[in-house]
Amino acid sequence: MMIALALMMSVASRAQDNLATERIFRNIGNICSQNDQVFMSGKSVEQYGLTLFKSVLTKNSVSAVGLMRNAAIEDGKIAVNQKTIVRDGETVACYYQLPPADGSDDNRFVLYRQMDERTAMLIYMEGETTLDNIVNIKLNKR
């Protein structure tokens, strides 16, 4: 069972391999000791037009918030569609649709949201949906 889960996670994360956000997901335990992580694939995300959903929420770490923001912005440099929220000159939220990875038809998405100076969430998703659909799902869930 554990081997199958490890293989699924390894295959699912290949499209994220060359992204700055992958370094955050891979090293979050070393970056911030207080974090919550979610990994979903299969039927739980299909209804949203996704094949993969990964998120990390960090708490009580100003440095983790900065690293997450910088990684999202770095990946956003290749975005084909984007939405950014800036407050007092600082990015507090950004939503990026990245082009599909080589050999894939799935779009890739990087979302970042800062709740306060010590708390932020980073999300990575893959699927056939669009950034506009992702943002609409987020707004409708409020």
Side-chain angles (χ1 to χ4, degrees):
M1 178 74 168
M2 292 299 288
I3 293 172
L5 182 59
L7 285 172
M8 274 180 33
M9 289 180 68
S10 129
V11 169
S13 68
R14 279 194 203 130
Q16 192 183 2
D17 277 352
N18 295 320
L19 298 178
T21 50
E22 175 55 18
R23 291 190 301 272
I24 301 294
F25 282 100
R26 195 174 333 121
N27 298 309
I28 193 61
N30 298 324
I31 296 169
C32 176
S33 61
Q34 294 183 2
N35 65 78
D36 298 326
Q37 298 177 57
V38 175
F39 178 90
M40 294 188 292
S41 63
K43 292 185 186 282
S44 59
V45 294
E46 284 176 0
Q47 65 182 328
Y48 302 108
L50 298 171
T51 55
L52 174 68
F53 175 96
K54 293 169 54 172
S55 73
V56 62
L57 172 70
T58 60
K59 304 171 211 165
N60 296 320
S61 178
V62 172
S63 62
V65 168
L67 290 169
M68 291 166 66
R69 178 189 317 106
N70 292 343
I73 291 170
E74 183 178 330
D75 290 344
K77 291 177 183 175
I78 63 167
V80 297
N81 193 2
Q82 64 180 317
K83 298 181 187 312
T84 305
I85 299 170
V86 177
R87 182 179 304 129
D88 298 327
E90 187 171 276
T91 299
V92 293
C94 50
Y95 311 103
Y96 300 117
Q97 180 177 332
L98 309 180
D102 291 341
S104 173
D105 291 333
D106 284 346
N107 290 314
R108 300 175 296 163
F109 304 91
V110 171
L111 287 67
Y112 166 82
R113 180 167 177 253
Q114 179 178 333
M115 288 68 154
D116 59 48
E117 68 178 15
R118 304 173 66 81
T119 308
M121 178 177 284
L122 183 65
I123 299 173
Y124 174 81
M125 297 178 280
E126 295 175 6
E128 294 180 356
T129 192
T130 65
L131 184 61
D132 291 335
N133 288 341
I134 296 291
V135 171
N136 286 335
I137 290 169
K138 183 181 179 303
L139 291 174
N140 290 333
K141 290 281 184 178
R142 286 189 177 179

